Amino acid sequence: MPETQTVAEVVEIPVQNVHPNPNNPRDEIPGEDESIAQLAGEIETMGQLIPCLVYPRAGEPGEYELWDGYRRRLAVLHAGLPALRCIVVEESKRADLEQLEVMLSTGRNHRQLSALEEAKGFQQMLALGLNESTIGKKFKQPKRIITAKAKVLEQPESVQAQYNAGQLDIDALIKLQRLAETRPEIAERVNDTVERFPHWARDVDRLIAQHKVAAAQETKGAELEALGAKTGHEVRSGSPEFYGFEPVPQPEDGDHLTAEQHVTAGHQFAIEAPSDVDGEAEVRWYRKAKKASSSKPEMSEDELTQQTLFRRLNQQLPVSADTRHRHMISKITEAKALDAATDKAMLMELVDQNVIRPQNEQLLADVTGIPMPVQDAGTGDYDPQLWSRKQEWFEKIRAKLATWSWGSLVRLWIYSQHRPEDKKLAKAQAWDPKNIDNRVQWMNRIQTDFGYRFDEHETEVVRHFQTKRSDLIQGNPKRYRVKVQH
């Protein structure tokens, strides 16, 4: 007869008597967390279907610690229910390692661990006697990754935060850990930089190399400069050959020049980044390269024929170019048009290139009265048809402007070029003539060429700054004086 199977007894325990395990690597989830609120709603509707696992607290009758069920406990608290359905496990049957494995699991009833929570759990497992290989097999991760993650909490808080946020990958973290063991002073510099913005492994390689070069410059570089050695941009540029320098050759017998001998020979030094991230910055010496004499290859028959042709043409083409230039000058200065349609087409070409542009969309809509197409309101989605509608709109703008007079087109062109400056004049500070752009010239031009007259507020701000900057204006009135037209 088969043996009878017993089912573990489920009991209800007041929720305030069930406490989080202090060794749980998972951080407490805020009660207002959306997933907890959703679980709380399910428990209110269907009840707590899966009981929590708890064990008695030593020396505290009626008090329990959680083994499994952190989210369920928080959901019951969130729902305001009085009791938690639990299975009580005897203390003698539990083991710290077994608890940790449950706490580190990411099954159906657990949320995904954060990077720091996982690191804390691996660190605790190592402290309890497991080795990296065993932990790696349990969690299907390579040994080197387990080792690196378990040491995360030894890194500065800034590095921990970047890693936990996913802005520093595991390979970068391993490089920083190795650097902290071999060159702690460089690691401190790199960590300070990493704190300010995210980096991946390739960026950390570059950062380590940069800081090793900087540190070597402060030590080796300073020593060499004290001896009179020179280092210029040409040899520090990374392309010394471009500036006519070459590396000083090293003798095969290994009898290298001393620093003093390099200085005497007039060589320049550069502190160069290590070729490998674990290497050290090195001093390299450069000298002015000797110009090598090279014989030109013989020219083919076709090349010789072309050279003869070009030599003959080059005697006459400058005369042709001068004649062409004088013809263009005469046509430009000729009072009458070459052809009205041609001249208008050339003007429209300039307007098309300089005015009909995305940054002038609102201005073009204002002057032509053709409404500008916009994103469909209320959808919040990207409108794939907007681009094609804008292209159609630009074509309508071109067609409308082609009917305008030359004068209107020229005025539009000039205004579009100065519109950014004009917009700034909506603030009093912008009327200060010390601004380095052409705003003063524009203030004068809108009065003389466009016939605009300043109102009382504009006149007031002009006079304020003309008084305040009187010395500046007196020194260069053409550039800084605004003449108010009446």
Side-chain angles (χ1 to χ4, degrees), residues 229-268:
K230 295 180 180 180
T231 176
H233 166 75
E234 295 84 354
V235 298
R236 290 185 283 107
S237 64
S239 304
E241 294 82 4
F242 177 81
Y243 294 98
F245 283 83
E246 64 181 4
V248 175
Q250 301 292 349
E252 295 181 2
D253 59 10
D255 187 15
H256 297 174
L257 297 177
T258 65
E260 290 82 358
Q261 289 171 323
H262 279 296
V263 173
T264 302
H267 300 157
Q268 293 192 24

Side-chain angles (χ1 to χ4, degrees), residues 104-122:
L104 286 170
S105 69
T106 54
R108 182 165 60 90
N109 297 312
H110 297 87
R111 66 171 172 85
Q112 186 72 33
L113 285 165
S114 74
L116 285 183
E117 288 171 343
E118 183 187 46
K120 182 180 177 182
F122 290 162

Side-chain angles (χ1 to χ4, degrees), residues 78-318:
H78 185 85
L81 300 176
L84 195 63
R85 297 181 71 243
C86 303
I87 295 175
V88 180
V89 181
E90 292 297 327
E91 185 177 4
S92 59
K93 294 182 180 179
R94 67 183 178 88
D96 289 340
L97 279 174
E98 188 179 352
Q99 289 180 61
L100 265 175
E101 287 182 33
V102 173
M103 294 171 184
L104 286 170
S105 69
T106 54
R108 182 165 60 90
N109 297 312
H110 297 87
R111 66 171 172 85
Q112 186 72 33
L113 285 165
S114 74
L116 285 183
E117 288 171 343
E118 183 187 46
K120 182 180 177 182
F122 290 162
Q123 191 180 62
Q124 290 175 346
M125 287 185 136
L126 289 173
L128 289 171
L130 283 188
N131 58 37
E132 290 88 345
S133 298
T134 304
I135 298 172
K137 289 177 183 177
K138 285 181 178 291
F139 293 92
K140 297 181 174 56
Q141 297 184 37
K143 176 183 175 181
R144 72 181 188 92
I145 300 298
I146 298 295
T147 302
K149 288 181 176 181
K151 294 166 65 176
V152 168
L153 300 178
E154 299 173 12
Q155 296 291 122
E157 288 186 5
S158 58
V159 175
Q160 292 183 38
Q162 293 276 29
Y163 173 67
N164 197 47
Q167 295 173 333
L168 194 69
D169 62 23
I170 190 66
D171 289 325
L173 188 70
I174 290 172
K175 295 175 192 295
L176 292 176
Q177 290 172 343
R178 192 163 60 226
L179 186 66
E181 294 171 357
T182 57
R183 294 291 302 276
E185 74 284 2
I186 302 294
E188 186 175 349
R189 291 177 180 231
V190 174
N191 290 340
D192 180 61
T193 307
V194 167
E195 179 179 1
R196 284 179 253 135
F197 47 91
H199 287 82
W200 304 104
R202 61 183 180 277
D203 300 306
V204 169
D205 283 349
R206 183 172 65 248
L207 279 176
I208 291 173
Q210 288 172 348
H211 286 293
K212 282 184 175 180
V213 168
Q217 188 67 51
E218 294 169 5
T219 54
K220 297 177 185 177
E223 292 173 5
L224 292 173
E225 288 177 354
L227 292 174
K230 295 180 180 180
T231 176
H233 166 75
E234 295 84 354
V235 298
R236 290 185 283 107
S237 64
S239 304
E241 294 82 4
F242 177 81
Y243 294 98
F245 283 83
E246 64 181 4
V248 175
Q250 301 292 349
E252 295 181 2
D253 59 10
D255 187 15
H256 297 174
L257 297 177
T258 65
E260 290 82 358
Q261 289 171 323
H262 279 296
V263 173
T264 302
H267 300 157
Q268 293 192 24
F269 76 92
I271 306 291
E272 298 189 357
S275 55
D276 181 78
V277 69
D278 293 324
E280 293 300 323
E282 299 180 5
V283 175
R284 288 203 168 83
W285 293 91
Y286 291 88
R287 68 184 183 188
K288 273 288 186 182
K290 296 178 180 179
K291 293 183 179 179
S293 58
S294 58
S295 57
K296 293 183 179 179
E298 290 187 9
M299 299 177 69
S300 66
E301 186 174 338
D302 284 347
E303 290 172 328
L304 286 170
T305 301
Q306 179 176 279
Q307 185 184 62
T308 302
L309 172 66
F310 285 2
R311 188 180 294 117
R312 177 173 59 81
L313 291 174
N314 287 342
Q315 293 174 348
Q316 301 300 326
L317 285 174

